[in-house]
Amino acid sequence: PTSLAQFVPPGSATFDVVVFDEASQVTVPQAIGALGRGHSAVIVGDSQQMPPTAIGQVAASDGDDVTEDDEVIPEDLESILTESVESGVPRLWLSWHYRSQDESLIAFSNRKYYEGRLASLPSPGGDDTAGVEWRRVPGHFNRETKQLHRTNIVEAEAIVAEIRQRLSNANLASQSIGVVTFNAQQQTLVLDLLEKTGDPLVLDQLRTDKEDGIFVKNLENVQGDERDVILFTTAFSKKPDDSKMPLNFGPLTRTGGEKRLNVAITRARRKVVIFTSFEPSDIDLSRTKSVGMAHLRGYLELAAQPDRSGNASSQPRPQNTSDQIQESICEALRQQGYEVEANYGLSDFVLDIVLREPESECWQVAILLDGPAWAERPTVADRDLTPQLLESMMHWGASVRVWLPNWIDNPESVVQQVKEALTRSKLRMAERQAQTQAEAIAAAALAELEVSISADFSADNTRWLKSDEPDHPAEVSDEPVLIGRMAAADTPPASPVARDWDGRGTTYLEAPTTTLGPRGDLDRVDSPSVQQTILSAVRETVDIEGPISMDRLARDVGRRFGLDRVSAGKRETIVRCIPAELIKKSGLGDFVWPKELNPIGWRGYRTTPAEITRSLMDIAPEEIVNAMMAVCGSKSDEDSLHRRTLAVFNQKRLTTPTRERLDACIHLGLQSGQLIKIGEHYRAGS
């Protein structure tokens, strides 16, 4: 909107309709220029989410236990959406909520922020991997020392442990994860602890190019994101020897903090786990006027309820009266020995009847009637299309329609219809359970394959030692430069071991990470000494890790100058120092090769150990094809070839980018004759 007002002169262009999306983030002054260039406008947004903020302006405190170390909070401004609502512009509600796979995830926000007008689909319950959960930990919010100031190390460690446990669990590993903190310091701490784990599963999820990877954000910048599982760390706690908890929770405490809470607790598709170092009752509402704090206490009390299964029957819900037909059907089903509940759900959309066998932990059949509630639904989609999502999206075993004429004419046939739906439900649930178990078995088999490959091909698991002279770059040499890392006994090897250039299944080794100089050296692009230092580091890295992608090589060398991220300019400085004769370019990437290796005839490959993360994009396609030749056996279908190859390189998941990379390498192998395809199976060529 701002650029439109700046670059399109008034009167030079007008539009029939101007549409604003995410209008809660657009200030009134920003919007005026666009509105003035249109004849009509549609303004779309959620007035209960984050308002626009003024960078550099600090809001006044609301007076709740303010301390001198309070973080700076930008001031909220009026949005064009809020202005439109307050001005009485005609409103149209978009009332269906489809994100949450468990209704309890949106129920609190629906009651507190949306006047109960959101319609959501009930889930069958009985699933511990869904819903809202509260965990109390013995943490402490550090206000006393400068080190780790305004953080809670116990909560941060609990978050990291939960993430590692989920990623190592075959049944949970496919669920994406997001972390929300209540301040920036805790956000930084969680990120640091995740990176320090060295866990390849965690590091893979933290990659910036990872689709739906782990994010760690605070209340101020989480809007617009969503993940299957959201983990909260509130961080705050009582002070030592003080029975009262300070009630200044940063942005949450101030006016409008409840909107930040609403954004945060609606990011999850399936599960929310909130970690606190205090009890919900420690938020003394008699000592604060903050709506955000009151809502936080209410949310924690809801999450702390004993039944966390996501079962809608355990949550407060709208009162819907049963009609006579509905009651008669319920009674007939109870006489068959089933557990039955009427008007099941947490929103205006409820299931008329739900049914299960007494021993079942979840509801098994959803029954929809053509009663008053059905007749009052305003659209065909509300009445007949949305209910079709119960099985596909909400994982009900079965749903069945019961029409009034059928019940009046032949109630026995309706009961039989429900019994058949129950049979279908049990079969479908058994199939889902078997599929889950099969996926877990496949994941375990893949892990065993990785171990077996490592045992077969890795005779030397020692790590390279860091250089004894970290302040001096390695000398340029025509021979491979091998500098070791500490072995298991913390003693250096007796002598450097020369690299086996043609080894098949040898262990991939990383080059040293000793400092080459201050980051400012990379700005001295014309300095011969800097160029020589970079060249030495390039040769050293390529001799140990090559073939290596040009991007990884630039990143590795940049880190040795103290850079966490290598900008385009710094990358160009490093790339200019790479000898041109070592660079091999193709449609599958630019790679730097040791002079001892010829890409055409080379048949070697390196297995990636568990403590090293190496993206497939950083591995030369020739090396991937060589690994495929080794693992494809007498015959392998495409899926098994994919997964066996991933295991060689310590890759845990077959994502869309990795599948595309592997398919391209299979094509390369078929072209070169290194792979042969017979029917749907592959075997090694020459």
Side-chain angles (χ1 to χ4, degrees), residues 93-111 113-123 318 320 344-351 373 376-379 381-383 386-387 389-390 393-394:
W93 278 71
L94 304 180
S95 58
W96 271 104
H97 172 84
Y98 293 111
R99 172 184 296 159
S100 301
Q101 296 174 16
D102 187 284
E103 203 175 16
S104 64
L105 295 172
I106 192 62
F108 182 85
S109 290
N110 193 14
R111 292 200 309 272
Y113 306 111
Y114 301 110
E115 305 171 19
R117 295 175 64 179
L118 290 183
S120 55
L121 292 169
S123 63
N320 295 280
Y344 175 87
L346 302 178
S347 72
D348 281 341
F349 180 89
V350 296
L351 300 176
E376 290 173 0
R377 291 171 191 158
T379 69
D382 292 339
R383 292 189 294 272
T386 298
L389 299 174
L390 288 169
M393 191 177 83
M394 303 307 294

Side-chain angles (χ1 to χ4, degrees), residues 329 367-370 400-404 406-407 414 417-418:
I329 296 175
I367 302 174
L368 299 107
L369 309 178
D370 57 345
V400 61
R401 287 275 193 183
V402 174
W403 303 102
L404 175 60
N406 292 345
W407 176 252
V414 171
Q417 182 184 5
V418 173

Side-chain angles (χ1 to χ4, degrees), residues 13-51:
T14 56
F15 306 94
D16 294 321
V17 183
V18 174
V19 181
F20 283 92
D21 192 18
E22 293 287 354
S24 67
Q25 292 281 292
V26 182
T27 65
V28 175
Q30 287 174 330
I32 293 299
L35 291 172
R37 289 163 172 78
H39 296 298
S40 62
V42 178
I43 299 172
V44 184
D46 185 347
S47 59
Q48 296 302 318
Q49 295 202 1
M50 285 279 292

Side-chain angles (χ1 to χ4, degrees), residues 206-465:
L206 288 175
R207 289 192 351 248
T208 55
D209 61 340
K210 183 74 174 181
E211 183 179 358
D212 250 10
I214 294 174
F215 72 69
V216 182
K217 297 189 176 184
N218 59 48
L219 290 175
E220 295 296 301
N221 54 26
V222 74
Q223 182 161 317
D225 290 294
E226 62 180 72
R227 291 293 186 271
D228 295 324
V229 180
I230 295 294
L231 308 177
F232 281 92
T233 163
T234 57
F236 299 102
S237 71
K238 295 179 180 178
K239 294 180 179 180
D241 303 322
D242 190 346
S243 61
K244 293 183 178 180
M245 186 173 67
L247 297 182
N248 179 31
F249 279 31
L252 183 68
T253 309
R254 57 167 298 190
T255 302
E258 68 276 10
K259 295 183 179 181
R260 289 166 168 81
L261 180 66
N262 179 42
V263 170
I265 64 178
T266 56
R267 300 302 94 198
R269 305 185 191 109
R270 185 159 187 80
K271 178 83 171 179
V272 166
V273 184
I274 183 164
F275 295 82
T276 74
S277 299
F278 59 86
E279 301 289 331
S281 58
D282 289 333
I283 300 178
D284 185 354
L285 298 183
S286 67
R287 296 170 43 229
T288 178
K289 304 182 295 292
S290 168
V291 178
M293 293 297 290
H295 287 186
L296 175 62
R297 172 169 169 163
Y299 185 73
L300 291 176
E301 289 173 340
L302 178 67
Q305 290 181 0
D307 186 348
R308 301 176 188 150
S309 64
N311 187 342
S313 64
S314 69
Q315 311 285 350
R317 63 180 184 270
Q319 296 298 316
N320 295 280
T321 58
S322 300
D323 62 18
Q324 186 175 356
I325 298 297
Q326 182 184 36
E327 291 176 354
S328 64
I329 296 175
C330 287
E331 183 58 30
L333 294 174
R334 289 190 183 102
Q335 290 178 4
Q336 298 293 319
Y338 302 128
E339 290 185 15
V340 176
E341 183 169 328
N343 300 321
Y344 175 87
L346 302 178
S347 72
D348 281 341
F349 180 89
V350 296
L351 300 176
D352 298 291
I353 302 172
V354 293
L355 171 147
R356 65 183 173 190
E357 295 173 317
E359 65 274 12
S360 175
E361 294 182 355
C362 65
W363 297 104
Q364 295 169 293
V365 178
I367 302 174
L368 299 107
L369 309 178
D370 57 345
W374 177 83
E376 290 173 0
R377 291 171 191 158
T379 69
V380 173
D382 292 339
R383 292 189 294 272
D384 298 319
L385 295 182
T386 298
Q388 296 178 17
L389 299 174
L390 288 169
E391 296 179 27
S392 61
M393 191 177 83
M394 303 307 294
H395 305 300
W396 281 85
S399 60
V400 61
R401 287 275 193 183
V402 174
W403 303 102
L404 175 60
N406 292 345
W407 176 252
I408 293 175
D409 293 343
N410 193 347
E412 292 81 7
S413 69
V414 171
V415 172
Q416 182 60 33
Q417 182 184 5
V418 173
K419 288 182 177 180
E420 292 172 355
L422 180 60
T423 301
R424 292 198 310 273
S425 174
K426 292 192 289 186
L427 288 173
R428 179 170 296 177
M429 289 180 174
E431 290 173 358
R432 287 175 183 161
Q433 184 177 7
Q435 182 179 359
T436 300
Q437 292 174 345
E439 291 174 352
I441 292 172
L446 180 59
E448 289 180 7
L449 178 61
E450 293 171 348
V451 172
S452 117
I453 290 175
S454 177
D456 289 342
F457 296 119
S458 301
D460 181 11
N461 290 324
T462 58
R463 297 175 62 86
W464 293 94
L465 292 167

